Amino acid sequence: MQPTHPAPDGAGLLREILAINESLSRLKDLDAILDRVLAESRRIAGADAGTIYLVENGRLRFGYVHNDTFNREGDVTRDVYADFTLPIDSTSIVGHVAATGQPLDIADAYAMPPDAPVAFNPDFDRRTGYRTTSMLTLPVTTSQGTVSGVIQLINAKDDAGRPVPFSAQARTVLPLLSTAASVAIERAIMTRELILRMMQMAELRDPSETGAHVTRVGAYSAEIYHKYAMMQGIDETLRKKTKDLIRVAAMLHDVGKVGISDRILKKPARLDPEEFAVMRMHTVFGARLFANSTSELDAMSGRIALNHHEKWNGTGYPGHLDGPADTRPPGPPRAGAQIPLEARIVALADVFDALGSRRSYKAPWPDEKIIDLLRSERGAHFDPDVVDAFLDIFDVIAAIRDKYAEDKPGQADG
Ligand code: C2E
Ligand code: SIN
Ligand code: SIN
Ligand code: FE
Ligand code: FE
């Protein structure tokens, strides 16, 4: 996105903030909200780069990053799935802003006065060759007045693209945006927690499980979709909306396992054919939970729940139904593009994650064996274009897997 300068008049700015607030309220997923908040903040301030951190367990957890100098528009890099925390204190600029709750506006990071309350850490510039100049760091403050995060914008640019200090207008307007952001962020965190709890009940029924795999399948699906959409030239508005919905809907793909007995779900061995016939019903049970709804998220969740075990070559299950309430035996399996795109994507994300994870009935597979299987199933189990998109972003996929690894505490809801 090219940074553009803000509308000149106050009323125009107010309308703009209201419009952004409205668009944030339509997004479902936390990452989609952080991405949008950064994009809008950077646009208003004309900033080259930006990062969002969220307060979690008394520290700042990295949330999302943009950098126009390093990344082409529309590319997602593994940096977005970085995973680190910083203390809330004056050992970093973002930590200082979270600790004080006050914005900090720096015209040149390399010319800070020696008596400044916090020092600039040039490690990122040294490591990457980036040149940080101006920095505007703002607290994200809840309606109760507590700091829930920090937005840091880097390098405001003039019309010629040269770094300049942040404008007075940016300093005035961005705190309004950050208030809107805090509401949207809080809601999105609640949505993720709600889904994870639901999935724990449905799929895991085991309080020792983290639910991290549910988060992984959601993130894999969102990024595979994004790459697929870039490859197919799907228009940007549809792409962003679908990416937001698919992340949430994919997390719910196995919610129908709630209808499968523990004897089958937790069997520490291979299922016999009769047991597997019961297990296959989790697709239909899941789809029924989303029937008769008019929301786009429910509709997509239903398509994914129903179709995520269909195969590109027509050998999957459950097969055609006249809608999820149809209780007759399913018709022949769907094939190719009869399978909804979102379900073709979740099919791959789910199998990739299942193969790499320990199950009661199998040990995790090594990466090479998984990739071999995905390649050999290209055009058989899986849509060949979906396999290509997946392989193309494997570095992002690996970053997601690291970030939401099974044995790391507090990862699934961050
Ligand atoms: P899941 O464990 O989440 O696995 C999702 C999909 O990953 C499977 O769909 C399958 O396509 C793939 N997958 C998982 N493990 C393997 C494997 O060892 N080899 C290969 N080639 N593919 C694998 P599928 O087969 O339709 O199974 C759906 C669900 O049924 C599974 O979800 C799991 O909950 C259950 N299930 C399947 N087979 C067994 C089994 O032998 N024992 C038990 N206890 N559950 C099973
Ligand atoms: C960091 O990347 O360490 C945070 C930058 C800062 O605010 O010091
Ligand atoms: C497709 O099948 O290629 C797109 C239509 C859909 O989203 O189901
Ligand atoms: Fe499933
Ligand atoms: Fe699954």
Side-chain angles (χ1 to χ4, degrees), residues 257 267 269-271 279 309 317 350 354 359 361-362:
K257 284 182 178 173
K267 182 176 177 180
R270 289 270 151 209
L271 300 177
M279 176 57 90
H309 289 294
Y317 62 87
D350 182 34
R359 290 283 193 268
Y361 60 95
K362 62 172 271 294

Side-chain angles (χ1 to χ4, degrees), residues 84-229:
F84 64 91
T85 65
L86 294 170
I88 299 182
D89 61 23
S90 298
T91 53
S92 72
I93 292 170
V94 290
H96 179 76
V97 166
T100 60
Q102 297 302 314
L104 193 62
D105 180 25
I106 297 167
D108 184 350
Y110 289 88
M112 284 172 68
D115 61 344
V118 58
F120 168 65
N121 175 355
D123 285 353
F124 176 81
D125 284 13
R126 283 203 195 114
R127 214 168 52 240
T128 62
Y130 193 77
R131 180 62 162 83
T132 300
T133 305
S134 52
M135 265 183 152
L136 180 59
T137 310
L138 301 154
V140 176
T141 310
T142 66
S143 47
Q144 290 86 37
T146 55
V147 175
S148 63
V150 172
I151 302 177
Q152 183 166 60
L153 300 174
I154 312 243
N155 288 1
K157 292 190 288 191
D158 66 13
D159 289 334
R162 282 180 304 251
V164 291
F166 284 87
S167 66
Q169 193 157 252
R171 289 197 305 270
T172 317
V173 172
L174 287 174
L176 297 175
L177 177 57
S178 93
T179 303
S182 85
V183 175
I185 288 167
E186 261 182 289
R187 179 177 46 79
I189 290 173
M190 278 179 57
T191 302
R192 275 198 187 177
E193 283 175 358
L194 188 69
I195 288 175
L196 290 172
R197 280 199 208 117
M198 257 167 61
M199 292 310 297
Q200 252 156 9
M201 282 167 59
E203 190 177 356
L204 313 166
R205 297 194 209 118
D206 177 355
S208 69
E209 292 264 7
T210 62
H213 71 283
V214 165
T215 310
R216 288 194 300 268
V217 171
Y220 296 151
S221 300
E223 298 305 344
I224 297 167
Y225 169 77
H226 179 88
K227 185 68 197 181
Y228 176 97

Side-chain angles (χ1 to χ4, degrees), residues 203 213 253-254 257 263-272 275-276 279-280 282 308-309 311 317 347 350-355 357 359-363 365 373 377 381-382:
E203 190 177 356
H213 71 283
H253 71 275
D254 272 339
K257 284 182 178 173
R263 190 182 63 78
I264 293 177
L265 190 64
K266 294 188 174 168
K267 182 176 177 180
R270 289 270 151 209
L271 300 177
D272 67 33
E275 292 164 336
F276 196 62
M279 176 57 90
R280 292 206 296 235
H282 81 275
H308 72 276
H309 289 294
K311 298 186 180 181
Y317 62 87
D350 182 34
V351 172
F352 172 73
D353 199 65
L355 295 178
S357 304
R359 290 283 193 268
S360 63
Y361 60 95
K362 62 172 271 294
W365 291 18
L373 179 128
E377 294 290 343
H381 187 158
F382 306 115

Side-chain angles (χ1 to χ4, degrees), residues 326-348:
D326 186 353
T327 51
R328 293 170 304 172
R334 293 172 189 257
Q338 293 174 334
I339 308 165
L341 173 62
E342 311 88 347
R344 288 166 2 222
I345 289 170
V346 173
L348 193 152

Side-chain angles (χ1 to χ4, degrees), residues 18-79:
L18 290 172
I20 294 168
N21 187 41
E22 163 69 21
S23 80
L24 288 177
S25 75
R26 277 196 302 268
L27 292 172
K28 311 288 182 200
D29 177 68
L30 180 61
D31 279 16
I33 286 165
L34 299 181
D35 186 16
R36 180 71 63 87
V37 167
L38 267 185
E40 300 290 2
S41 311
R42 288 177 46 233
R43 191 175 53 78
I44 287 170
D48 181 60
T51 309
I52 296 195
Y53 298 83
L54 298 178
V55 174
E56 193 185 298
N57 301 325
R59 291 176 68 89
L60 281 179
R61 174 174 289 284
F62 168 85
Y64 214 87
V65 66
H66 281 184
N67 187 315
D68 271 358
T69 297
F70 291 148
N71 307 322
R72 279 174 306 157
E73 162 66 9
D75 274 4
V76 172
T77 64
R78 52 174 302 134
D79 304 347

